[in-house]
Amino acid sequence: MTQDAQSLQDLAALNDRLMARNHALAEALNRAGKELAKAKAQISQITRPPLTFATMVRVDGSHIDDEGVRHASAEVIAGTRRMIVPIAASLNPAGLEPGRTVLLNENMVLVDQRDVDGVGTVRRVAQVLDDGRLIVEDNAGNPTVVRRATALAGVSLGPSDRVTVDPSCRLALELLPGEDDADLVLEETPDVTFADIGGLDEQIERIRDAVQLPFLHRELFERYNLNPPKGVLLYGPPGNGKTLIAKAVAHMLAEGTESGGVFLSVKGPELLNKFVGESERLIRLIFARARERAASGRPVIVFIDEMDSLLRTRGSGVSSDVETTIVPQFLAELDGVEQLDNVMVIGASNRVDMIDPAVLRPGRLDVKIRVDRPGPRQADDIIRHYLTDDLPLEHGVDAHALARVLVGDIYAQDEHRHVCDVCDEHGQWRAIHMSDVVSGAMLKNIVDRAKTRAVKASIETGAAAALSVDMLAMAAQEEFRESVDAILDADPVQWSRIAGFESGSVTRIRPAGDARTA
Ligand code: ADP
């Protein structure tokens, strides 16, 4: 190889190395460029001035000047501050909607539009003005006039609807679902019939006469100018079938109608808690719902449980709200100018003495029916509804015999069914037996306990276990023990009221068997 050729080869190799180096350098430069750009972006990201949230109210003005530049501004509310701000050139003013959230940059330029804020102060609509504005009220009933956000523009709003408003309370933003009202009253189409109720034939007969006659023969009542009762009051200790009767009435009235009857039930104390300070609205709502349901021709029963808590005597000083607004509002609805066709009120109470007498006057809830604790005969009837011959029964006995034995046990006036002793205000002690505190619900519970035992025994043995005298006796004993515990834990005065003894007549309660030691 000549010297020239050798040096040419060296040069080529050098050139290759330099090229490779150059390439690596270019790549490094490229990478550094990218890193730099990223760092710059990060810096601009963390040094970006904050944006301020505001609520769009309206476009204040928009025009294009001689130079072709658009000048647009908007009224917005930031916090409680009302402002006119410029609209960024990148935004189309026509697309900005009242009520939507907008963003303002550090120079207070409106630069972006977001959705309507999902949170806010809640107000109740009191009135809709002709031009669409709303009068809304806070909890204390203070009114404010507000405009509607675009989202509410075409929405039909009515009194008592709930809306959110912006912090300055100038715009109604969003309609809230009426949750409050959805569970205000429980609504069902009851399938209870009078045949399902034991031992209350007399009461059923009376309620049938009071309710069914005027309902089925409305023309005759009109012909004789006889006002049908607007409602019935069922009273007596809890758990003895008041609710069952009310449901069966709704069912009975609906016989022959395709869609069935409607049973709207409201619980006095729960509602009062939920509607503190709004009791008038509450009563209005209940009756509005009843009328609405009755409009399609369906009979409606409005069942008011624990009615005494809602409609207590005015002047009794228990709750000014209850006395001053609920009773008059209730009477106004009942006597109302607006027809209550197909609507019947059934009240239930174990403190009938507490109910305002005006509620019980003729033409209102003037039919009063006492639903008492079952005596042995009624108890037998009730038990037979739950203890039937088609069940697996102990060999050699029928349901009739089992029920008789069980009733004998529950109604025994001896020591083994001695619940406790109570003392009245004269210091007189008397024994309370299971028969004094028994209820329809308790009887059903005893049978259910025995059935549960039978089910468990069936699971263990793999064959249907028969309901026996023993199982029922054990069930009765369990129920007895539970009522003893419940009564001894109770406040004497409260207990005697609920239990249906003369109000407050029990001042002390002592366990059975303590008489000897006392
Ligand atoms: P109240 O309204 O008087 O407090 P309910 O009608 O709600 O009592 O009764 C509670 C439950 O007890 C009923 O669902 C039913 O299972 C049972 N019960 C009460 N009384 C009777 C009765 N007379 N016949 C059949 N079951 C009854």
Side-chain angles (χ1 to χ4, degrees):
M1 195 183 283
T2 66
Q3 206 165 352
D4 275 357
Q6 176 63 44
S7 63
L8 210 67
Q9 215 171 28
D10 288 351
L11 273 176
L14 184 67
N15 190 31
D16 280 353
R17 277 203 304 281
L18 283 175
M19 289 253 297
R21 202 131 135 221
N22 209 2
H23 185 72
L25 274 175
E27 283 216 323
L29 205 62
N30 197 6
R31 268 204 308 278
K34 278 189 182 153
E35 289 294 324
L36 197 66
K38 198 169 153 197
K40 265 189 184 160
Q42 277 169 344
I43 288 171
S44 94
Q45 162 71 19
I46 56 177
T47 56
R48 210 165 68 182
L51 298 173
T52 304
F53 284 99
T55 307
M56 176 71 194
V57 178
R58 64 190 177 88
V59 174
D60 185 53
S62 173
H63 72 274
I64 295 174
D65 68 12
D66 298 342
E67 320 291 317
V69 177
R70 198 192 60 206
H71 298 262
S73 56
E75 179 183 337
V76 299
I77 303 164
T80 53
R81 200 163 146 218
R82 197 173 158 209
M83 297 185 287
I84 300 283
V85 297
I87 300 171
S90 56
L91 287 179
N92 176 7
L96 296 174
E97 293 180 5
R100 294 273 291 270
T101 300
V102 287
L103 295 175
L104 310 179
N105 70 9
E106 74 273 31
N107 298 318
M108 288 292 163
V109 176
L110 197 165
V111 290
D112 198 4
Q113 173 170 250
R114 300 277 171 90
D115 284 340
V116 175
D117 199 357
V119 295
T121 312
V122 178
R123 290 281 185 272
R124 212 170 277 287
V125 176
Q127 198 187 334
V128 182
L129 301 175
D130 287 344
D131 59 7
R133 284 176 304 160
L134 310 170
I135 299 182
V136 295
E137 288 180 350
D138 64 10
N139 270 347
N142 300 315
T144 316
V145 178
V146 296
R147 285 184 205 287
R148 297 172 186 232
T150 303
L152 289 180
V155 177
S156 114
L157 291 171
S160 84
D161 277 337
R162 297 179 310 160
V163 292
T164 51
V165 295
D166 75 279
S168 73
C169 208
R170 301 182 58 83
L171 269 182
L173 301 179
E174 200 184 11
L175 174 63
L176 293 173
E179 289 163 330
D180 256 0
D181 306 347
D183 58 8
L184 166 80
V185 281
L186 222 68
E187 179 170 336
E188 56 181 304
T189 305
D191 54 4
V192 178
T193 69
F194 288 125
D196 299 324
I197 305 175
L200 295 173
D201 300 344
E202 221 175 277
Q203 288 85 344
I204 290 171
E205 166 107 34
R206 280 193 63 200
I207 205 161
R208 267 178 186 276
D209 284 353
V211 175
Q212 204 171 23
L213 279 183
F215 198 83
L216 294 181
H217 305 283
R218 187 171 303 148
E219 328 73 52
L220 276 177
F221 273 69
E222 275 166 17
R223 181 72 193 79
Y224 289 91
N225 200 14
L226 184 58
N227 283 336
K230 296 263 175 58
V232 178
L233 177 74
L234 301 170
Y235 66 103
N240 287 301
K242 297 186 289 295
T243 312
L244 282 184
I245 292 183
K247 284 186 178 173
V249 170
H251 186 90
M252 166 188 82
L253 294 180
E255 264 163 27
T257 68
E258 260 171 40
S259 40
V262 180
F263 183 77
L264 295 179
S265 75
V266 295
K267 262 194 181 312
E270 276 175 24
L271 285 189
L272 286 180
N273 286 341
K274 197 177 270 180
F275 283 77
V276 181
E278 287 193 281
S279 38
E280 229 177 303
R281 189 175 84 80
L282 158 72
I283 299 285
R284 256 199 328 264
L285 274 171
I286 294 170
F287 280 90
R289 172 80 73 89
R291 280 197 199 90
E292 196 184 292
R293 292 292 181 273
S296 56
R298 301 170 74 179
V300 176
I301 296 289
V302 177
F303 181 66
I304 306 180
D305 204 2
E306 299 180 68
M307 194 179 217
D308 44 286
S309 66
L310 212 55
L311 299 170
R312 61 182 50 192
T313 308
R314 281 167 283 183
S316 62
V318 180
S319 152
S320 56
D321 186 32
V322 172
E323 291 163 34
T324 52
T325 62
I326 297 200
V327 175
Q329 182 69 38
F330 181 81
L331 297 179
E333 291 284 353
L334 213 55
D335 300 345
V337 264
E338 286 186 71
Q339 279 293 310
L340 269 182
D341 279 348
N342 288 357
V343 177
M344 168 87 59
V345 177
I346 299 186
S349 169
N350 43 45
R351 292 303 312 280
V352 69
D353 56 304
M354 295 288 292
I355 298 179
D356 196 296
V359 173
L360 307 177
R361 288 223 183 95
R364 293 174 182 155
L365 268 63
D366 54 353
V367 182
K368 293 180 270 302
I369 300 175
R370 187 176 174 92
V371 182
D372 227 330
R373 297 183 186 287
R377 198 175 49 77
Q378 288 92 353
D380 190 79
D381 197 2
I382 295 172
I383 291 169
R384 292 298 309 278
H385 275 79
Y386 301 109
L387 191 62
T388 45
D389 278 318
D390 58 334
L391 298 168
L393 302 178
E394 190 177 6
H395 187 66
V397 286
D398 58 5
H400 177 70
L402 282 174
R404 212 178 45 222
V405 176
L406 182 58
V407 169
D409 181 0
I410 294 169
Y411 284 77
Q413 296 299 302
D414 58 22
E415 219 31 52
H416 93 290
R417 289 292 170 251
H418 183 181
V419 176
C420 62
D421 292 322
V422 297
C423 182
D424 66 14
E425 67 262 44
H426 308 296
Q428 203 71 42
W429 286 95
R430 80 177 169 100
I432 297 294
H433 288 97
M434 195 171 184
S435 58
D436 297 313
V437 294
V438 72
S439 67
M442 203 189 269
L443 294 171
K444 173 173 190 288
N445 213 24
I446 291 173
V447 177
D448 284 351
R449 280 177 195 267
K451 286 178 177 172
T452 309
R453 277 179 188 276
V455 167
K456 281 189 183 156
S458 309
I459 294 168
E460 274 169 25
T461 60
L467 280 166
S468 63
V469 172
D470 281 351
M471 279 180 190
L472 287 164
M474 278 188 271
Q477 181 59 20
E478 276 174 19
E479 193 72 30
F480 170 77
R481 284 256 43 104
E482 272 190 15
S483 31
V484 170
D485 291 345
I487 292 169
L488 293 180
D489 281 345
D491 168 65
V493 177
Q494 289 290 342
W495 175 77
S496 61
R497 279 179 184 159
I498 295 167
F501 292 93
E502 206 125 289
S503 88
S505 70
V506 173
T507 54
R508 286 162 68 197
I509 299 176
R510 74 179 174 204
D514 269 17
R516 289 178 292 275
T517 53

